Amino acid sequence: MAENEGFVDISLEQDGGLLKKILVEGTGDEQPPSGSEVKVHYVGTLQSDGSKFDSSRDRGDKFKFDVGVGQVIKGWDVGICTMKRGEKAILRARSDYAYGDSGSPPKIPPKATLDFEVELFEWREKVKEPYDMSPEERSEFAAKQKDLGNAAFGKQDWLAAISAYDEGARYITFGQGGDGGGHGHTHSHGHGPCSGHHGGDDEPELSDEDKKLAIALLCNGAMAKLKVGEPDGAKFDCSKALEFDPANIKALFRRGKAKLALGEHDASMEDAARVLELDSANKDAETLKRQAELDKKKQKQKEKAMCSKISADLLGRVGQLVRLPSLERLSVRYFQVEVASCSLALEHVTEGRLL
């Protein structure tokens, strides 16, 4: 039939119930899997006379829904899962793929065939929580997140890299460690309210390969966090990685850098020294140790200068208050105030390599 020229039968039964005509080709090879949350624009018309009965474009907002799970008509559930990102197509749905024998009065008559011009913008796959996955599924998902994180890191999209690494680490470390494996656990996991599922003794110990994956996600995440000035998070990630491998040089070194940025100079030097025990020729660790020593010395000098200033100011104020000329001859040391909390956090971030 001429009216169906350019259309392809994509119906499940291959009986013409659902036809598709591509207007604008999409990009890539991926298509939204069933259960994904998709965003589309659409214009719905009656195939019989072309009259419009609905349009997201007229409302100005993209339509968002979960495809393939019965939230929309069958023609959409089937048709949109055949589209690629950025594709625009006409889906021609017979009544059994649309609103059936009764239609949807008053705009859609009974047994009506409908045309939908649909443009697919994006989709987001819905992923099961780690407690609903097998260890193999968690490992597969975490590996994908590592790849996503590495790609974002290569583009210097630090926040996207952190998000991917953290999500991968959350899955691969589920059920591991004293807190049940909740990575960065603050009782929200950074992904909405805590479900209360933290794994337990029934979770098997990670395989050697999964331990390597966990360490890579944690160490790479730490490096990305150092890039955006989040040394606390970097320190946590490295400490978690060291639970799986206490002699991991990258985790020790990056934790040392995080501690340096936090002003924990002695602890930073301890991590650098441990790296040098494991690798005596590690130049980066030598540099880190020297930097921590230098920064500690500078901090003490600043604290000493600050204490001297406070003492001098206090001496002047007391002298003015009691108006004793002889007070100027009193030892400044008598009025010296010890300020033990004047530590200054020094940020020191250097380059590294992804695992």
Side-chain angles (χ1 to χ4, degrees):
M1 298 175 62
E3 62 184 15
N4 291 334
E5 185 178 351
F7 283 85
V8 176
D9 187 354
I10 60 170
S11 64
L12 300 176
E13 302 83 359
Q14 287 293 288
D15 64 354
L18 181 64
L19 306 178
K20 175 183 172 184
K21 181 179 182 179
I22 296 177
L23 303 178
V24 178
E25 293 284 349
T27 58
D29 297 321
E30 294 183 338
Q31 297 168 327
S34 181
S36 300
E37 182 184 80
V38 300
K39 286 185 180 180
V40 303
H41 259 321
Y42 69 91
V43 177
T45 58
L46 299 179
Q47 194 268 332
S48 58
D49 61 9
S51 59
K52 181 169 62 176
F53 59 83
D54 193 13
S55 172
S56 66
R57 294 188 184 277
D58 290 348
R59 293 191 294 274
D61 293 323
K62 297 183 181 72
F63 182 50
K64 180 172 66 175
F65 66 98
D66 295 344
V67 70
V69 295
Q71 291 185 358
V72 292
I73 61 173
K74 183 180 178 181
W76 276 35
D77 272 345
V78 174
I80 289 176
C81 285
T82 70
M83 298 178 69
K84 299 175 182 178
R85 186 175 280 102
E87 180 179 323
K88 182 186 287 188
I90 296 175
L91 299 178
R92 179 162 291 170
R94 199 172 57 197
S95 61
D96 52 321
Y97 272 83
Y99 290 94
D101 291 346
S102 58
S104 183
K107 293 186 176 181
I108 300 175
K111 298 183 178 180
T113 295
L114 308 178
D115 281 348
F116 292 95
E117 182 187 276
V118 180
E119 183 175 2
L120 176 61
F121 291 92
E122 59 181 323
W123 66 85
R124 181 174 64 87
E125 292 186 45
K126 291 193 172 182
V127 181
K128 295 185 292 185
E129 286 296 316
Y131 50 80
D132 286 328
M133 287 186 176
S134 67
E136 293 75 21
E137 288 174 322
R138 291 196 291 265
S139 178
E140 181 180 356
F141 176 76
K144 289 180 180 178
Q145 293 302 303
K146 179 192 169 187
D147 290 341
L148 290 173
N150 288 353
F153 196 101
K155 297 175 183 177
Q156 298 187 5
D157 188 349
W158 313 126
L159 295 181
I162 289 169
S163 177
Y165 291 141
D166 278 358
E167 189 73 343
R170 185 168 77 94
Y171 275 72
I172 198 63
T173 64
F174 177 77
Q176 309 296 316
D179 66 352
H183 173 246
H185 190 353
T186 61
H187 227 73
S188 71
H189 303 291
H191 299 272
C194 173
S195 65
H197 296 273
H198 300 139
D201 294 337
D202 57 338
E203 291 294 335
E205 184 179 353
L206 295 182
S207 67
D208 289 343
E209 285 302 310
D210 282 349
K211 285 181 181 178
K212 290 179 183 178
L213 176 57
I215 291 169
L217 285 161
L218 291 163
C219 287
N220 291 354
M223 185 160 58
K225 288 172 186 176
L226 287 171
K227 293 287 187 183
V228 298
E230 293 184 8
D232 274 317
K235 176 182 170 182
F236 177 91
D237 285 352
C238 291
S239 294
K240 188 71 179 178
L242 290 166
E243 292 179 15
F244 296 106
D245 179 9
N248 187 276
I249 288 178
K250 285 186 172 63
L252 285 165
F253 178 70
R254 290 170 191 172
R255 188 175 70 173
K257 291 202 295 182
K259 289 176 177 178
L260 179 64
L262 291 167
E264 300 173 8
H265 303 116
D266 288 337
S268 177
M269 286 186 278
E270 288 177 5
D271 280 344
R274 177 59 178 149
V275 172
L276 290 170
E277 287 179 13
L278 298 167
D279 179 10
S280 60
N282 193 302
K283 300 297 184 183
D284 290 334
E286 290 179 358
T287 301
L288 175 62
K289 188 171 181 290
R290 288 195 300 270
Q291 186 65 52
E293 292 170 346
L294 178 61
D295 287 1
K296 181 181 179 180
K297 182 178 179 180
K298 288 181 179 178
Q299 179 182 321
K300 285 188 174 296
Q301 291 172 342
K302 288 181 179 179
E303 288 178 353
K304 184 178 179 180
M306 184 179 295
C307 288
S308 297
K309 184 178 185 302
I310 291 173
S311 300
D313 289 346
L314 181 59
L315 179 63
R317 289 176 183 272
V318 173
Q320 291 176 2
L321 179 63
V322 298
R323 297 180 180 178
L324 293 176
S326 61
L327 190 62
E328 296 177 2
R329 295 193 297 271
L330 293 177
S331 171
V332 172
R333 190 175 304 166
Y334 182 80
F335 296 97
Q336 188 165 354
V337 178
E338 181 178 358
V339 184
S341 60
C342 295
S343 60
L344 303 175
L346 301 174
E347 189 170 341
H348 179 71
V349 180
T350 60
E351 293 297 324
R353 291 177 296 173
L354 297 177
L355 297 174

